[in-house]
């Protein structure tokens, strides 16, 4: 079975680890990764969501953080600080720097982000095909208003430096409107037997992937059933601050609001946590098949169970 998953960072990567455990040897997973979180620092291109998927599935992730490398040291960052070169608020460790150096060196040599990602995955062997959503530069910015007035800041500054403490007035995936799907993305979607939306951030992760012209249309038109898993449990995001960016796009932070925002033209099925059993009727009324199952990714086995539930629902809604 050919499975395609649109994935962001921490939540998406953890789900993929369970999905990988749930499938058989004849199944294959293609991940379309969000690159809107990418940030250029110290002359290097950092791809947080691609790296989180690669490290998590490759066994190199810092498990508690959900990002960056395990057994990290911070000598380069400390030396940069001595030179007065920031930003201090973004934690790039020495081991992680190697990834960004290799990536930036290959990009400078003319390789595409897809080719770079494929090369980095040769080391990490994630067990999935990891495709960036686009080889073109897309960077999510957030419009805020604070004592310095109204301005757009990079998503990472909003997320990491400000901890989403101020309201996001707008989420702008800069460059998305002229970006092209990366090679293989549209084919993977068209040829998929199942398409999954893991419990990633529906606005800045999955929403950004869908903002690349052609991708939303391809998913909506795909013969494969599309099943999503709610990143919201009991009215709050499990991790991260999805509620902050959901507010920016006028979507309530509830399991049913996210499903209905994706819409029945895009998704065929939706899993909510058992805590949101009451949401099932509203989602089904919106034309989306819905089941309530445990959605807390407490360990790989629990996550594998969620993945099996998603694949089972996909079979039930297969057109
Ligand atoms: N998240 C933080 O909360 N603090 C950090 O200092 C930080 C550094 C960082 C470095 C590399 C990387 O790949 C991810 C990093 N993240 C950090 C996580 C990142 O902001 C988020 O994982 C994604 O952008 C959102 O999914």
């Amino acid at each position: 079975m050919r499975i395609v998953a649109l994935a962001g960072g921490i939540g998406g990567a953890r789900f993929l680890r369970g999905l990988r455990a749930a499938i058989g040897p004849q199944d294959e997973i293609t991940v379309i990764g969000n690159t809107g979180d990418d940030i250029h620092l110290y002359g290097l291109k950092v791809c947080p969501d691609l790296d989180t998927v690669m490290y998590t599935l490759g066994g190199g992730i810092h498990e508690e953080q959900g990002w960056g490398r395990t057994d990290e040291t911070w000598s380069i960052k400390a030396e940069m600080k001595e030179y007065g070169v920031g930003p201090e608020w973004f934690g790039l460790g020495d081991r992680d720097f190697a990834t960004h150096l290799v990536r930036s060196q290959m990009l400078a040599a003319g390789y595409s982000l897809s080719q770079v990602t494929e090369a980095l995955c040769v080391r990490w062997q994630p067990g999935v095909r990891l495709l960036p959503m686009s080889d073109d530069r897309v960077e999510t910015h957030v419009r805020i208003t604070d004592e310095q007035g109204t301005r757009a800041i990079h998503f990472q500054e909003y997320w990491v430096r400000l901890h989403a403490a101020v309201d996001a007035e707008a989420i702008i995936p800069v460059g998305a409107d002229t970006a092209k799907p990366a090679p293989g993305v549209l084919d993977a979607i068209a040829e998929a037997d199942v398409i999954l939306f893991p419990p990633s951030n529906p606005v800045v992760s999955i929403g950004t992937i869908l903002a690349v012209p052609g991708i939303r249309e391809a998913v909506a038109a795909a013969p494969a059933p599309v099943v999503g898993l709610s990143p919201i449990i009991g009215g709050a995001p499990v991790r991260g601050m999805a509620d902050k960016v959901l507010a920016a796009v006028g979507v309530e932070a509830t399991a049913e609001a996210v499903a209905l925002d994706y819409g029945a033209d895009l998704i065929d099925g939706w899993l909510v946590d058992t805590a949101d059993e009451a949401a099932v009727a509203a989602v089904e009324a919106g034309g989306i098949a819905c089941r309530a199952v445990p959605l807390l990714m407490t360990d790989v086995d629990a996550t594998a169970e969620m993945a099996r539930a998603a694949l089972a629902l996909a079979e039930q809604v297969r057109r």
Side-chain angles (χ1 to χ4, degrees):
M1 179 166 55
R2 292 170 301 229
I3 303 168
V4 166
L6 277 58
I10 301 166
R14 287 198 170 141
F15 173 76
L16 291 168
R17 197 163 48 184
L19 175 65
R20 192 181 55 181
I23 62 170
Q26 73 287 358
D27 303 323
E28 59 188 34
I29 301 169
T30 297
V31 178
I32 298 171
N34 171 42
T35 61
D37 289 8
D38 293 1
I39 184 169
H40 286 75
L41 293 172
Y42 314 112
L44 302 174
K45 185 179 175 78
V46 180
C47 300
D49 281 359
L50 296 180
D51 291 348
T52 290
V53 170
M54 185 174 73
Y55 291 158
T56 300
L57 298 181
I61 196 76
H62 184 297
E63 192 62 39
E64 293 67 44
Q65 277 176 180
W67 55 267
R69 292 281 279 101
T70 187
D71 304 325
E72 195 49 284
T73 50
W74 307 90
S75 303
I76 298 174
K77 192 169 180 306
E79 287 300 305
M80 299 295 276
K81 183 178 177 190
E82 292 303 309
Y83 282 114
V85 177
E88 283 191 60
W89 47 267
F90 199 70
L92 282 182
D94 299 331
R95 293 176 186 269
D96 199 26
F97 262 107
T99 299
H100 314 312
L101 286 167
V102 170
R103 174 184 294 119
S104 304
Q105 181 179 325
M106 288 185 70
L107 290 172
Y111 291 98
S112 67
L113 184 58
S114 301
Q115 291 167 315
V116 171
T117 305
E118 188 175 4
L120 294 172
C121 285
V122 168
R123 171 189 175 184
W124 290 103
Q125 294 296 308
V128 303
R129 184 167 62 132
L130 176 56
L131 304 177
M133 68 188 197
S134 175
D135 282 339
D136 301 317
R137 182 169 176 174
V138 178
E139 288 189 12
T140 301
H141 286 231
V142 181
R143 195 182 77 231
I144 64 164
T145 297
D146 62 10
E147 64 284 349
Q148 293 175 43
T150 296
R151 65 195 196 286
I153 59 175
H154 191 286
F155 168 75
Q156 293 297 346
E157 182 173 1
Y158 179 71
W159 205 249
V160 177
R161 189 173 72 80
L162 297 183
H163 301 291
V166 296
D167 288 347
E169 295 168 1
I171 307 291
I172 309 108
V174 177
D177 49 341
T178 56
K180 291 179 297 305
V185 164
L186 296 183
D187 288 345
I189 292 169
E191 292 159 14
D193 297 307
V194 180
I195 299 171
L196 298 176
F197 288 9
S200 287
N201 188 308
V203 179
V204 294
S205 293
I206 294 178
T208 304
I209 299 170
L210 294 171
V212 174
I215 294 185
R216 172 186 283 271
E217 297 80 355
V219 174
V226 182
V227 172
L229 297 94
S230 177
I232 304 288
I233 295 182
V238 177
R239 190 193 165 95
M241 301 156 273
D243 47 333
K244 286 286 191 172
V245 292
L246 280 164
V249 295
V251 176
E252 238 190 314
T254 66
E256 68 263 23
V258 174
L260 298 177
D261 182 54
Y262 281 133
D265 66 320
L266 190 66
I267 63 172
D268 304 296
W270 185 248
L271 293 186
V272 302
D273 186 77
T274 46
D276 294 309
E277 177 89 44
V280 170
V283 176
E284 297 236 319
I288 301 164
C290 187
R291 302 288 181 276
V293 299
L295 286 188
L296 271 179
M297 299 189 281
T298 47
D299 56 27
V300 177
D301 289 345
T303 311
E305 268 313 296
M306 288 162 55
R308 288 189 193 96
L311 294 174
L313 181 52
E315 288 318 309
Q316 289 167 20
V317 298
R318 186 172 294 285
R319 294 189 275 258

